[in-house]
Amino acid sequence: MATIIIDGQSFELPEGAKFNAIQAAKHFGIDIPYYCWHPALSVVANCRMCEIEVGTKDPATGEIKMLPRLVPGCQTPARDGTVLVTESAKVLEHRKNIMELLLINHPLDCPVCDQAGECGLQDYSYEHGRAAHRFVEERNVKPKKEVSDLIVLNQDRCIMCTRCVRFTREIPGTAELHVMRRGDHGEIAIFPDQPVDNPLAGNVVDLCPVGALLDKDFLHNQRVWFLSKHDGVCTGCSTGCNISVEENAGKVWRHKPRHNPYVNDYWICDEGRYGYKAANSPTLLGGNYVLEGKDHHGVPTDRFVKRLNETLTTRILDKQSVLGILSPYLSVEEAFAAAQWLASLTNRVELALGPVPVRGEDLTFAPDKTKGRSGDTSFIVPRPFTISAEKAPNRAGVEMMLDHFGKGAVPFEKALESVASHPIVIVFGGSPDESWIEADQVAALRKAEVLVLFDTTINPLADVADFVAGIASFAEKSGTYVNRDRRLQRFEAALPPREGVWPLLDLIAIVSGDGKAPIRSQEILKAAARVVPGLAKVEDGLVPELGLNLDSKDQPIPDAGFQDDWTLANVSTV
Amino acid sequence: MTPTTLPTPRMIPDSLRQKIESYVPRYPNKKAVTLPALHMVHSHFRCVPYQAMKEIAEILEITPAEVADTMSFYGFFPQAPLGDVRVWICRSISCMLRGGDELLEHACKNLNIEPGQTTADGKLTVEFAECLGICDHAPAALSDDGRVFGPLDESSLQKMLDDLRKGPIPLEEL
Amino acid sequence: MPKFEPVLSRNWNDPEILSVKRYESKGGYAASRKALTTMSPDQVVDLVKASELRGRGGAGFPTGLKWSFLPKDRKETFMCVNGDESEPATFNNRYLVEKDPHQFIEGILIGCFATRASTAYVYLRFEYIKAIKILEQAIAEARAAGHLGKNIYGSGFDLEIWCHRGAGAYICGEETGLIESLEGKRGWPRIKPPFPAIEGAFRKPTVVNNIETLACVPHIVERGADWFKSMGTPKSYGPKLYTISGQVNKQVCVELPLGVTTNQLIEEHGGGVWKGRKAKAAIPGGISMGLLTKDEFDVPLDFEEIRKTGCLGLGTAAVTVLDETTRIIDYLYNTSRFFAHESCGQCTPCREGTGWLYKTIKRIRDGGGRIEDLDLMNHLANNMGITPGTTICGLADGAAWPIKNAIAKYRPELEQFIRENVNPAARIAPVQEAISAGRSPLPSNTSMFVPGIGIAKSATS
Amino acid sequence: MRSDDPALKKMTPPKLTLLEQSYLPQILGGLVVTGRHIVKAALGDGAVTMEYPEVQHQPSPNYRGVHRLNKDEQGRVKCVACMLCATACPVHCIDIVGATAPESWTDREKYCQSFVIDELRCIYCGMCEEACPVDAIELTSMYDLSGLSREEMIFDKTKLLSVFDLTKEGEPMKSGIVPPASSNRSRELVTTPTTGPVIERQQLV
């Protein structure tokens, strides 16, 4: 067993771990400040913030030999017998010096800087900096520039950590960013007419430890300390990237990636990043509607449910059969509850899968560590990042329910053909995109005698359906999705359901009239796990933080990656 | 990459392109040719414009930003064309001790330019240098055709400037 | 001690030596033939180890030891020859290439054979326009004469030498900076480990040697390690090219055994201090080394003794003489300007520190100095560089050393300068001074954020 | 503060004499003061009440009344929408919408598109003024705040700026520091999208 000594305390390193000193210390709850190091990028050790005293302990004699000078923690492997001193006077004095140097040319415009509140400079200058600095000369002033339509670069705030440059070279491999000139006149730049427009470009904003690279979409809108973060899963494609949905005052303001080594590592694509806008869309359905004559009339939920149930009961008593269409945007719980309800209506029910949007081909970015700066890459465990062509979050999960309750996943096209034999069609939508259904498909579905739609947006099908119920959007519901790799992942509601609208789980409970029906997603998942064989691994409706692989055991992660947590909340207050 | 994919009109002529490509076998990867290619382009155009950087990137199968990264690091490559002759006047320690800074100032004042600028007639570009490695001639100057001047004083500086304005001399004649 | 006979510079007076024929007729390429045909690579390494040849580039690392760090099971090795001689006042490599290129090519050949490198890149700074031309021609001739190419001398050893031109960056003289530059990237030094011997150019084991170091190798092979060790001082053996420049009558490059003194150099080779003046100080080996005061002119200039005077080391043995009229502040201004211009901008302490030091020294020189600036600069300089461990490469040490060295040795002069030179125009603005001291620059009861100056600190003290 | 803190000074209540325990001297002392006032008022000089609104009250200089938004020397709102006042506000009565400043404002990149203070919710603690890094928000000495509806008491940017115009003569900006002028600054004025009811009030002395 490998033992590491940090600040005089011995710790056992986990089996198979591939840590550097920063990761090892963090693993045992000790913070070493850093800027340029990022767990997924090559190590260049140029910010010099993470420098500590390093030594080795001789296993035979127990003698500790320290190196005479400071060593960057990012560059120091944590091995058996490694000795780290992170809080000595020498180290603390060094941090003071580095903070002072980083700030001599940095403008003090925190009040107008969007990074304020999640800024590495703010945190570390509070924790490690000098109260006053000794620089009395003129500051270097550098220009503000736009590196793409979505990203702005405030060069005077940059600390030249080169994380962004390394990212564009190593992860998407597009290398749009470069360093211009040298010395204290160095700048980050793009080549003229070659903006940072790769599909992962937005990640450079997250990577930037200071307010140099900022998202124009979020610029000057909110102060980050007003935002509440909610763990979410991106619904943009079947990769199911872990995101943090950040809202304030009833609106979602941004999506940020959340680290999950099994799914998205540290990244999200720009499509997912700006997918938050659908949560604030004015085209979301604002209530329940019944088609009377040619017009839809908004009705309160109790009357809507009553009329829907009356219609369904009459028709079903007439021995008419039901076609249920479950969209891949439903959560596992919603699909389970919906399928269960449909099955309880009649035994003449056919279940089908809603349209699965597919665009292009899967796009995989394999990290190429040789493309970056020639730093030390031995700590990095490269993991590819894939943007799926399948633009729905939960096809696998919905299919699982269809397999259980129906005769397998009937594709949407085939279901359309069978509308003729099913006078009642009940569609569960949920796509944030209004154009999820095409005109000819709407026409085919409208052939049904009764068309019921549960959906989030005002879309062509909602224009013609007999019953339209607005349900909670992706940001307003909790539940789980099963991604492309059959990983079950939990997400939380970021917003309360908008006025006049119920979450689908509640609505089904009301419609089915079962007063005792569970409406908490965890309970439904628990119930589903009891009957659906694919979910057998779920225990007590609980899903681990990194998700649950439904098929096999997860490979252990040798590098305990962690996200930068430069937020005010993490600063210990006096 | 095949030449047909290159944008038109192309800036780097075929002969130069072949010369750049002839350097590729010298190194284990193409990227290493960046610096020689920049030198070749520079001596051809007497500057390295953006379009040329783009074409170098295409030849070497890297991105233009990577070429710009390398190019901007070094002090040697200008983006705007230079004068017919480029002369560096050294201001490093040995030359400074013998009046290098004053000579640079003097030369610029004579030519009515700032260090780094080209004379109005486009004949001469004067730059400062952080040591030219010809300290045995300090205070020294070096022109980009390889001529070494020094030790300079005000009168020999004037003579040097006059000589340089006559145009470059091929290296063989040195 | 027998009379010293120059070896590295023995052919410098012969303009014909540029041709391979002439060089061969003078006994050239005999050492390489001997090494390749009668010795094994390891024997050459052992021989160089035995000679205790130390790198001539500045750090003085034992060359044989460096070669023996290469992994035993390597498949491909590169040799990088460091001719990016950018340390101000240094020009001995230029002499070696311009005046006797084949001696140096022979050195590369033996060095590559010893390290089993089949490709060598000679990285020369772009300012050496003539030297590059001469070297390229010499390489072509040597190849035509069978000293380079495939199966050299029938030994089965192949070698190609390519000339790679720098583009004006001091930092490319640092070995990993050179490797990065060779790879077509910006010359930002790499972190170590991995050391170049394990993972260098193109991620292969690489040896980086200075031109002068390699030029010594043929002579060691030819005459043996004992001959080499018969010259110089303990731990610093062999001949060395010293350059003398600055305020002396004759600025020259001379070959002498290691361990001559500054006085000897100035009087015997430099023709005395110019204009009949007296010397005030001398820089022993390029501006990053610090200053020798006049009292220290008798210290032998070798790798060990020089450190005892508070200088960083021998450096490149480029001695620059300052006469009695030269102001130390001007010397500091020059060095700090150089390093602020040449800092690669990678590590924070060097990027920001060199700029800060330059701005401060400029202000002092302009007449806006404060006595406490000296302590501030001393503190800054003490926390920069590889020695305290705050940077990747040694440039920051080189930038900081002259400053702390000069403050230690010439503090009275600097203080006097600050007191006597007061220029109101160069004074620090009171608001800046107040901010830096953590005092409120504004009337009390006001907030601290002034756009353009900016401080967000409550008004204390 | 801990109870065993050495900085704590322990006090014991004074012992009262028998006469003091009867409270009679204190009562008599109070009656004397009252009597003095009765006499003064009867003689027509030294009334302690004020005939408001004919006579206006002059509050002390550090009185915390209605807020104002300061303008810079070009008449633009000084606020940079950093929202520190909203953060500091203990009752959450400030709502700001920030936006990128117009191109022509070369000295700043952000300004407040809307700035609303609910004057009824405000507790006039002055924390906003304390928090402001650019001295844009200040509490004036205006105290006679009234309105006919709750909506009227929600002050928008225009109204807050008009408070500045009303009070700037009598109460100059506390910092007196204006942002350093840059050479190419334009003279463009702030335009506010809405024009709320402008407060009308006689000029302060």
Side-chain angles (χ1 to χ4, degrees):
Chain A
M1 191 57 102
T3 309
I4 183 169
I5 300 163
I6 307 175
D7 294 339
Q9 250 185 298
S10 293
F11 298 98
E12 302 273 295
L13 283 168
E15 202 69 51
K18 206 170 163 190
F19 288 162
N20 66 12
I22 300 177
Q23 283 166 310
K26 181 88 175 184
H27 189 80
F28 303 116
I30 297 160
D31 277 328
I32 298 175
Y34 62 90
Y35 288 117
C36 70
W37 174 73
H38 187 279
L41 302 175
S42 59
V43 177
V44 289
N46 67 9
C47 74
R48 313 307 283 186
M49 192 65 203
C50 66
E51 292 200 291
I52 46 172
E53 291 190 61
V54 172
T56 44
K57 184 178 176 178
D58 194 305
T61 61
E63 193 191 353
I64 291 175
K65 249 189 165 166
M66 299 301 287
L67 288 175
R69 57 181 192 218
L70 297 172
V71 179
C74 60
Q75 194 195 331
T76 306
R79 296 199 195 98
D80 189 27
T82 302
V83 180
L84 309 176
V85 179
T86 70
E87 295 283 324
S88 69
K90 200 168 152 190
V91 172
L92 296 181
E93 170 67 13
H94 169 76
R95 289 180 190 161
K96 272 199 174 71
N97 291 335
I98 295 290
M99 280 318 301
E100 181 180 34
L101 288 163
L102 283 172
L103 292 172
I104 62 170
N105 283 315
H106 188 89
L108 228 162
D109 56 357
C110 303
V112 292
C113 175
D114 270 353
Q115 191 83 3
E118 51 184 16
C119 174
L121 280 176
Q122 280 185 333
D123 278 20
Y124 289 159
S125 80
Y126 180 81
E127 281 183 275
H128 307 294
R130 269 183 227 288
H133 63 66
R134 303 167 294 176
F135 184 75
V136 293
E137 322 299 337
E138 210 168 296
R139 286 167 192 236
N140 294 343
V141 180
K142 292 171 189 168
K144 182 174 165 178
K145 43 198 169 188
E146 307 204 329
V147 295
S148 83
D149 292 343
L150 293 165
I151 302 164
V152 64
L153 169 61
N154 294 284
Q155 185 55 50
D156 50 1
R157 294 179 190 155
C158 174
I159 57 166
M160 295 303 279
C161 69
T162 68
R163 272 181 167 200
C164 52
V165 176
R166 279 176 283 150
F167 171 80
T168 58
R169 290 183 188 182
E170 292 170 28
I171 309 295
T174 44
E176 297 103 339
L177 285 170
H178 69 95
V179 183
M180 193 163 77
R181 295 196 282 274
R182 67 181 182 218
D184 61 356
H185 292 281
E187 286 175 27
I188 304 294
I190 49 164
F191 196 82
D193 313 328
Q194 308 230 335
V196 191
D197 55 1
N198 65 68
L200 302 180
N203 289 299
V204 297
V205 177
D206 307 337
L207 281 172
C208 186
V210 300
L213 287 163
L214 293 175
D215 194 335
K216 278 202 231 171
D217 183 66
F218 184 71
L219 196 67
H220 299 156
N221 277 334
Q222 283 286 311
R223 300 319 306 257
V224 293
W225 56 84
F226 291 143
L227 298 175
S228 313
K229 300 180 176 194
H230 304 271
D231 288 356
V233 170
C234 181
T235 57
C237 76
S238 62
T239 301
C241 290
N242 290 211
I243 53 172
S244 153
V245 184
E246 308 195 0
E247 57 78 26
N248 176 33
K251 266 174 93 175
V252 179
W253 291 93
R254 62 177 184 185
H255 281 170
K256 283 267 177 189
R258 198 156 51 87
H259 176 58
N260 187 338
Y262 297 108
V263 182
N264 57 321
D265 220 353
Y266 301 90
W267 327 117
I268 52 172
C269 68
D270 279 8
E271 207 180 322
R273 182 178 299 272
Y274 300 112
Y276 79 87
K277 289 178 183 169
N280 309 329
S281 168
T283 62
L284 290 175
L285 275 167
N288 307 309
Y289 303 90
V290 177
L291 188 67
E292 283 168 356
K294 279 192 168 169
D295 294 325
H296 279 97
H297 291 274
V299 286
T301 307
D302 52 348
R303 269 177 55 204
F304 175 83
V305 169
K306 199 167 162 230
R307 284 183 65 172
L308 175 65
N309 273 339
E310 277 168 12
T311 313
L312 290 179
T313 318
T314 335
R315 299 268 173 175
I316 287 167
L317 285 179
D318 284 352
K319 304 228 182 288
Q320 290 191 352
S321 61
V322 178
L323 172 65
I325 294 172
L326 272 56
S327 119
Y329 284 91
L330 298 177
S331 70
V332 169
E333 294 80 359
E334 285 173 336
F336 178 77
Q340 205 175 32
W341 172 57
L342 290 177
S344 71
L345 284 176
T346 165
N347 51 8
R348 290 182 306 279
V349 63
E350 189 183 336
L351 295 179
L353 182 67
V356 182
V358 174
R359 240 181 301 137
E361 281 170 13
D362 283 3
L363 199 55
T364 299
F365 298 96
D368 184 353
K369 54 186 184 180
T370 63
K371 277 271 184 159
R373 300 243 324 271
S374 307
D376 190 346
T377 52
S378 52
F379 307 110
I380 306 169
V381 183
R383 287 181 284 264
F385 177 83
T386 303
I387 302 172
S388 291
E390 187 183 296
K391 301 292 176 197
N394 197 26
R395 182 184 53 78
V398 174
E399 277 180 359
M400 213 186 289
M401 297 304 143
L402 295 175
D403 285 341
H404 179 66
F405 287 102
K407 289 169 278 186
V410 178
F412 187 56
E413 281 71 30
K414 231 171 146 198
L416 287 180
E417 290 163 17
S418 62
V419 170
S421 53
H422 300 290
I424 306 171
V425 175
I426 302 177
V427 182
F428 293 91
S431 168
D433 182 5
E434 302 99 76
S435 61
W436 68 271
I437 192 153
E438 284 160 26
D440 53 332
Q441 295 169 336
V442 173
L445 287 174
R446 187 55 274 189
K447 286 190 187 123
E449 288 173 31
V450 179
L451 181 56
V452 183
L453 175 66
F454 295 85
D455 210 345
T456 53
T457 58
I458 304 166
N459 57 48
L461 191 61
D463 289 343
V464 297
D466 298 308
F467 292 89
V468 181
I471 55 171
S473 76
F474 68 93
E476 295 161 349
K477 67 187 182 190
S478 307
T480 52
Y481 292 136
V482 180
N483 82 349
R484 182 189 56 206
D485 301 325
R486 294 187 55 75
R487 172 172 289 275
L488 183 73
Q489 302 193 96
R490 163 162 289 283
F491 59 92
E492 284 169 15
L495 298 174
R498 55 197 185 281
E499 220 173 314
V501 160
W502 292 85
L504 183 59
L505 296 178
D506 300 54
L507 203 56
I508 290 173
I510 299 168
V511 171
S512 61
D514 182 357
K516 285 183 185 159
I519 48 167
R520 281 187 58 218
S521 61
Q522 187 196 334
E523 290 160 19
I524 298 178
L525 186 65
K526 203 165 141 186
R530 252 181 262 133
V531 292
V532 181
L535 295 173
K537 280 179 79 180
V538 180
E539 283 170 27
D540 206 26
L542 295 172
V543 182
E545 201 185 343
L546 296 181
L548 178 71
N549 192 330
L550 293 177
D551 293 343
S552 52
K553 206 165 170 272
D554 281 323
Q555 296 295 313
I557 298 292
D559 60 330
F562 57 91
Q563 261 176 314
D564 305 330
D565 45 5
W566 294 315
T567 52
L568 286 177
N570 291 296
V571 180
S572 53
T573 43
V574 188
Chain B
M1 241 174 248
T2 53
T4 49
T5 61
L6 284 171
T8 51
R10 276 159 52 194
M11 189 173 196
I12 296 181
D14 281 341
S15 57
L16 188 55
R17 156 180 297 274
Q18 278 153 17
K19 205 172 149 198
I20 293 172
E21 277 165 353
S22 74
Y23 270 63
V24 172
R26 292 187 179 190
Y27 302 93
N29 65 33
K30 280 193 170 184
K31 188 173 180 177
V33 189
T34 310
L35 206 46
L38 285 167
H39 271 299
M40 283 181 259
V41 167
H42 174 263
S43 53
H44 189 267
F45 296 108
R46 294 195 62 71
C47 65
V48 186
Y50 280 123
Q51 176 63 27
M53 277 190 256
K54 250 185 196 172
E55 288 174 33
I56 291 174
E58 261 159 318
I59 297 169
L60 302 180
E61 292 169 12
I62 51 179
T63 67
E66 286 174 278
V67 179
D69 187 321
T70 305
M71 181 218 135
S72 67
F73 181 77
Y74 303 98
F76 182 71
F77 304 108
Q79 286 208 310
L82 294 164
D84 299 339
V85 177
R86 179 185 194 182
V87 65
W88 291 277
I89 298 178
C90 184
R91 64 176 198 184
S92 195
I93 187 83
S94 298
C95 297
M96 174 281 252
L97 288 171
R98 298 171 76 113
D101 282 33
E102 289 78 15
L103 285 173
L104 174 66
E105 216 170 281
H106 189 77
C108 289
K109 215 169 130 194
N110 265 2
L111 298 167
N112 204 14
I113 53 173
E114 293 286 315
Q117 288 181 340
T118 304
T119 52
D121 55 7
K123 284 192 173 151
L124 190 56
T125 305
V126 181
E127 290 177 26
F128 68 79
E130 299 286 5
C131 192
L132 293 162
I134 42 176
C135 316
D136 46 343
H137 297 279
L142 175 80
S143 66
D144 64 346
D145 52 12
R147 277 181 282 176
V148 170
F149 302 89
L152 294 167
D153 54 28
E154 285 196 11
S155 62
S156 57
L157 176 80
Q158 195 51 51
K159 191 178 166 299
M160 173 191 93
L161 294 177
D162 294 340
D163 277 355
L164 290 170
R165 287 171 78 104
K166 287 177 194 149
I169 295 176
L171 192 52
E172 284 69 27
E173 292 175 27
L174 285 173
Chain C
M1 195 189 256
K3 195 185 166 331
F4 175 72
E5 174 210 353
V7 284
L8 298 172
S9 60
R10 68 191 192 285
N11 296 327
W12 285 4
N13 293 326
D14 184 356
E16 297 292 309
I17 202 73
L18 300 187
S19 83
V20 65
K21 290 242 160 55
R22 177 79 175 176
Y23 182 71
E24 281 172 347
S25 75
K26 283 199 163 185
Y29 289 112
S32 59
R33 203 173 286 274
K34 178 181 162 193
L36 264 67
T37 52
T38 67
M39 296 169 84
S40 73
D42 289 344
Q43 278 173 321
V44 181
V45 174
D46 289 341
L47 179 68
V48 173
K49 244 190 205 168
S51 75
E52 293 185 37
L53 166 65
R54 292 174 70 167
R56 263 47 174 161
F61 193 81
T63 307
L65 201 57
K66 199 178 206 174
W67 289 356
S68 62
F69 286 156
L70 291 161
K72 292 276 166 292
D73 55 346
R74 64 189 185 273
K75 291 197 175 63
E76 199 177 3
T77 315
F78 290 107
M79 163 79 81
C80 294
V81 185
N82 189 343
D84 192 70
E85 184 184 51
S86 342
E87 184 74 31
T90 313
F91 50 94
N92 45 19
N93 290 355
R94 180 169 61 89
Y95 269 53
L96 280 171
V97 179
E98 271 183 15
K99 298 195 187 243
D100 196 356
H102 288 287
Q103 167 181 255
F104 158 54
I105 293 172
E106 191 179 358
I108 301 176
L109 177 54
I110 301 172
C112 287
F113 175 69
T115 55
R116 288 185 274 148
S118 57
T119 315
Y121 299 101
V122 182
Y123 192 102
L124 279 178
R125 60 186 304 198
F126 81 90
E127 288 92 338
Y128 290 175
I129 298 166
K130 193 173 156 196
I132 292 167
K133 187 101 188 158
I134 289 170
L135 182 63
E136 280 185 338
Q137 206 168 339
I139 290 171
E141 279 189 34
R143 188 179 289 128
H147 301 301
L148 298 174
K150 297 264 173 227
N151 194 13
I152 302 162
Y153 312 140
S155 64
F157 178 71
D158 308 333
L159 177 65
E160 283 298 340
I161 302 179
W162 302 112
C163 200
H164 194 95
R165 225 176 142 196
Y170 173 72
I171 195 59
C172 292
E174 201 273 347
E175 58 177 359
T176 53
L178 185 145
I179 289 172
E180 286 281 291
S181 179
L182 178 72
E183 288 184 8
K185 302 172 190 165
R186 58 176 33 230
W188 273 5
R190 293 179 188 174
I191 52 169
K192 285 146 264 184
F195 286 92
I198 309 297
E199 194 182 300
F202 310 104
R203 298 194 179 255
K204 295 285 188 313
T206 302
V207 192
V208 184
N209 280 129
N210 177 263
I211 286 181
E212 193 182 335
T213 316
L214 288 170
C216 289
V217 172
H219 303 292
I220 294 170
V221 170
E222 207 171 314
R223 306 179 199 205
D226 292 333
W227 162 82
F228 192 78
K229 287 177 77 170
S230 72
M231 289 171 282
T233 56
K235 291 189 176 173
S236 306
Y237 302 111
K240 176 87 191 80
L241 294 174
Y242 286 90
T243 61
I244 309 143
S245 62
Q247 289 162 331
V248 287
N249 283 321
K250 255 167 63 195
Q251 307 187 90
V252 287
C253 175
V254 287
E255 183 182 358
L256 293 167
L258 272 165
V260 297
T261 64
T262 316
N263 266 334
Q264 277 174 309
L265 277 173
I266 297 174
E267 300 307 328
E268 291 169 24
H269 305 281
V273 182
W274 74 339
K275 297 181 181 173
R277 291 180 191 157
K278 290 200 185 77
K280 175 182 195 167
I283 304 166
I287 59 168
S288 49
M289 294 301 127
L291 283 176
L292 286 174
T293 61
K294 186 146 187 353
D295 304 336
E296 291 159 346
F297 277 14
D298 290 326
V299 177
L301 295 173
D302 66 13
F303 292 112
E304 299 300 325
E305 287 296 315
I306 192 85
R307 287 179 204 243
K308 295 178 186 162
T309 65
C311 288
L312 188 52
L314 178 62
T316 55
V319 176
T320 311
V321 180
L322 280 66
D323 76 21
E324 56 193 345
T325 64
T326 304
R327 300 185 303 182
I328 294 299
I329 191 73
D330 288 335
Y331 152 79
L332 284 182
Y333 175 70
N334 190 280
T335 56
S336 63
R337 180 177 67 184
F338 176 80
F339 286 108
H341 187 263
E342 294 298 343
S343 169
C344 79
Q346 196 181 192
C347 308
T348 308
C350 178
R351 176 182 69 239
E352 306 292 350
T354 52
W356 187 352
L357 287 169
Y358 169 57
K359 285 174 184 171
T360 305
I361 291 170
K362 187 169 184 300
R363 176 166 51 78
I364 295 175
R365 186 167 172 263
D366 291 346
R370 308 170 297 181
I371 300 293
E372 64 258 40
D373 285 333
L374 298 178
D375 300 319
L376 171 60
M377 292 199 296
N378 214 8
H379 183 264
L380 265 178
N382 275 325
N383 290 299
M384 274 169 72
I386 269 194
T387 323
T390 61
T391 52
I392 292 172
C393 82
L395 187 141
D397 293 276
W401 209 276
I403 288 161
K404 53 185 173 191
N405 178 282
I407 292 174
K409 289 184 177 175
Y410 291 94
R411 186 162 181 129
E413 183 190 326
L414 291 168
E415 286 189 2
Q416 194 189 351
F417 178 87
I418 291 171
R419 271 195 296 270
E420 288 175 5
N421 289 272
V422 179
N423 175 9
R427 275 250 177 90
I428 310 163
V431 64
Q432 277 286 23
E433 180 129 37
I435 289 172
S436 88
R439 290 197 308 271
S440 161
L442 307 171
S444 58
N445 190 32
T446 52
S447 314
M448 298 287 95
F449 181 71
V450 183
I453 306 168
I455 180 164
K457 211 186 147 287
S458 58
T460 49
S461 72
Chain D
M1 194 178 255
R2 291 160 60 104
S3 58
D4 58 348
D5 194 310
L8 276 180
K9 202 174 168 188
K10 300 243 161 60
M11 308 285 284
T12 41
K15 260 219 143 81
L16 299 181
T17 61
L18 198 66
L19 190 63
E20 281 169 335
Q21 279 176 0
S22 74
Y23 294 110
L24 281 174
Q26 280 73 24
I27 291 169
L28 287 174
L31 282 174
V32 169
V33 173
T34 314
R36 204 163 55 221
H37 280 295
I38 291 170
V39 174
K40 266 191 186 172
L43 296 177
D45 186 35
V48 286
T49 51
M50 187 178 267
E51 289 179 23
Y52 183 84
E54 285 77 20
V55 179
Q56 288 280 337
H57 166 60
Q58 272 306 311
S60 84
N62 54 2
Y63 180 82
R64 298 192 295 260
V66 180
H67 309 81
R68 71 178 186 197
L69 270 181
N70 288 341
K71 292 179 182 175
D72 65 6
E73 73 273 28
Q74 294 170 44
R76 306 173 305 182
V77 61
K78 276 180 95 176
C79 173
V80 293
C82 70
M83 307 189 201
L84 288 180
C85 50
T87 308
C89 182
V91 291
H92 306 296
C93 70
I94 306 178
D95 184 78
I96 303 168
V97 177
T100 307
E103 285 278 301
S104 53
W105 295 20
T106 48
D107 59 337
R108 68 186 84 162
E109 56 178 83
K110 195 179 173 190
Y111 83 119
C112 55
Q113 201 173 51
S114 111
F115 194 112
V116 178
I117 301 180
D118 186 341
E119 298 286 350
L120 293 180
R121 199 165 174 178
C122 176
I123 57 166
Y124 300 93
C125 66
M127 298 284 267
C128 47
E129 186 176 7
E130 200 76 22
C132 184
V134 291
D135 299 320
I137 187 168
E138 278 177 357
L139 270 64
T140 66
S141 59
M142 276 171 75
Y143 53 84
D144 50 346
L145 193 61
S146 60
L148 294 174
S149 66
R150 289 192 171 273
E151 287 68 37
E152 207 177 303
M153 299 307 288
I154 296 173
F155 280 28
D156 70 355
K157 191 166 105 179
T158 316
K159 203 161 170 181
L160 289 165
L161 286 167
S162 73
V163 177
F164 172 75
D165 290 334
L166 269 180
T167 56
K168 66 181 173 191
E169 303 290 319
E171 297 173 56
M173 274 188 271
K174 282 173 190 162
S175 75
I177 295 263
V178 287
S182 62
S183 53
N184 56 344
R185 192 188 281 176
S186 84
R187 299 288 303 174
E188 194 173 306
L189 291 177
V190 187
T191 51
T192 42
T194 56
T195 47
V198 174
I199 189 164
E200 280 173 21
R201 184 175 190 274
Q202 70 184 74
Q203 199 71 39
L204 286 168
V205 184

